[in-house]
Amino acid sequence: MLTVNAYSATAANKPLGPTTIQRRDLGPHDVLIEIKFCGICHSDIHHTRSEWGSAPYPIVPGHEIAGLVAQVGSKVTRHAVGDRVGVGCLVDSCGECTSCRKGEEQHCLKGSTLTYGSIGKDSQLTQGGYSTHIVVTEDFVLKIPEGIGLDAAAPLLCAGITTYAPLRHWGAGPGKKVAVVGLGGLGHMAVKLAHAMGADVTVLSQSLNKKEDGLRLGADHYYATKDPETFKKLAGTFDLIVNTVSAKIDLDAYLSLLALDGALVNVGAPAQPLSVNVFSLILTRRSFAGSLIGGIRQTQEMLNFCARHRIGADIEVIPASKINEAYERVISSDVRYRFVIDAATLK
């Protein structure tokens, strides 16, 4: 067993603090990764504060992991010591069900193993990337191509694939009009990716405060949703709307912005239920859908796409001592656009 430094949550109402955890001994198909950077996802806050159900404490969050291979098991063929690698939201799945065979491990019918807060095949609780090292089976370790810094690449392992997956699935590209609701950690990646795919991109944000950023990131248009004229002007416009906000919104109002056969896809995960009037769907054959992350194959595709287009997250690198402050700033939308922890500050 390897003892490593980490930051953990011990209760829903307590700040995270330094600790040590044990990583399993390297198995024949395992990879030991020295973590260099780990992004802070809003999901980390939801989990550590038991906002999506009771968390198993103590818990080390973090599923946007970028680092270097430090050691490999005797039968590892995909990775070598020194490789630039990443780990996202998943560290294992059954590998046998129809979803896994399709490369959709995030929808494993037996339940995929999350990077933290899950019980692994070794019957131990998984602990995440707010730590100096992690051991992961080679099939769930991704290659980070040259051309993206490890710090800017870390958020791609969640924010990147969470937005890439629906854009690909619903066919974002030339001739398609795509709207992104919210310009935060997820939204800024959706704008960059949709623009690189060749779509006409619109940001729908509460105000125009981030308009300059939105246009810089690749948006063609930017509208304030606080202005009721926005919904009148844009009615029936979009082929795809990707909703990245984790807050309750008026779904019917946003559905009215879709063209015939358009889709509104939720990737944000608000704690409160959302409601929809069925007539918002049936009158113009609109769809309301959800999207999780992507499978391992598609996540690697996303990383390769980002490398070709020189896309990384816009980040603010922080020491571990500022994690709790960063959580509060995420909740206040006071980050442009993703916090990334420098794992060296955990040592």
Side-chain angles (χ1 to χ4, degrees), residues 2-261:
L2 177 66
T3 301
V4 304
N5 293 334
Y7 249 62
S8 73
T10 57
N13 59 351
K14 291 185 178 180
L16 280 71
T19 188
T20 58
I21 58 173
Q22 301 293 314
R23 295 300 190 188
R24 69 173 184 262
D25 291 331
L26 218 61
H29 293 283
D30 283 339
V31 176
L32 172 64
I33 300 168
E34 180 185 359
I35 298 172
K36 295 297 185 180
F37 298 97
C38 183
I40 291 178
C41 177
H42 205 142
S43 299
D44 300 343
I45 301 173
H46 288 309
H47 276 289
T48 57
R49 297 184 176 181
S50 289
E51 293 172 352
W52 287 345
S54 181
Y57 300 106
I59 186 169
V60 175
H63 55 210
E64 296 182 341
I65 299 167
L68 301 175
V69 174
Q71 189 178 345
V72 297
S74 59
K75 295 185 179 180
V76 170
T77 59
R78 297 186 179 188
H79 309 284
V81 172
D83 283 358
R84 293 157 43 92
V85 294
V87 177
C89 302
L90 308 176
V91 292
D92 211 347
S93 71
C94 80
E96 300 172 349
C97 69
T98 53
S99 294
C100 288
R101 291 200 303 271
K102 290 178 181 178
E104 301 279 7
E105 297 93 346
Q106 75 276 27
H107 300 302
C108 176
L109 298 180
K110 296 183 180 180
S112 53
T113 304
L114 301 180
T115 306
Y116 64 87
S118 281
I119 301 298
K121 291 177 181 176
D122 59 1
S123 300
Q124 299 299 309
L125 182 70
T126 57
Q127 303 287 3
Y130 294 12
S131 57
T132 57
H133 295 78
I134 191 169
V135 176
V136 181
T137 184
E138 67 173 322
D139 290 344
F140 286 79
V141 177
L142 296 138
K143 296 183 181 297
I144 297 178
E146 297 292 339
I148 314 173
L150 290 178
D151 51 357
L156 301 181
L157 278 303
C158 177
I161 186 57
T162 296
T163 49
Y164 183 90
L167 290 169
R168 274 288 183 241
H169 185 81
W170 276 273
K176 293 294 183 75
K177 292 186 176 181
V178 175
V180 177
V181 182
L183 192 66
L186 292 175
H188 93 287
M189 287 306 311
V191 170
K192 289 187 178 191
L193 291 166
H195 172 75
M197 291 174 184
D200 183 270
V201 185
T202 297
V203 173
L204 301 174
S205 186
Q206 285 188 311
S207 71
L208 299 178
N209 291 343
K210 298 180 182 178
K211 182 176 180 179
E212 184 176 339
D213 274 5
L215 299 178
R216 172 181 60 82
L217 293 166
D220 300 284
H221 319 281
Y222 200 108
Y223 291 92
T225 55
K226 282 185 176 179
D227 183 354
E229 290 300 313
T230 292
F231 290 91
K232 295 178 183 179
K233 182 175 182 178
L234 299 179
T237 294
F238 301 107
D239 301 295
L240 173 64
I241 300 174
V242 179
N243 176 27
T244 70
V245 301
S246 292
K248 197 169 185 178
I249 65 168
D250 183 348
L251 288 180
D252 297 307
Y254 285 90
L255 286 166
S256 74
L257 304 180
L258 291 173
L260 177 67
D261 289 327

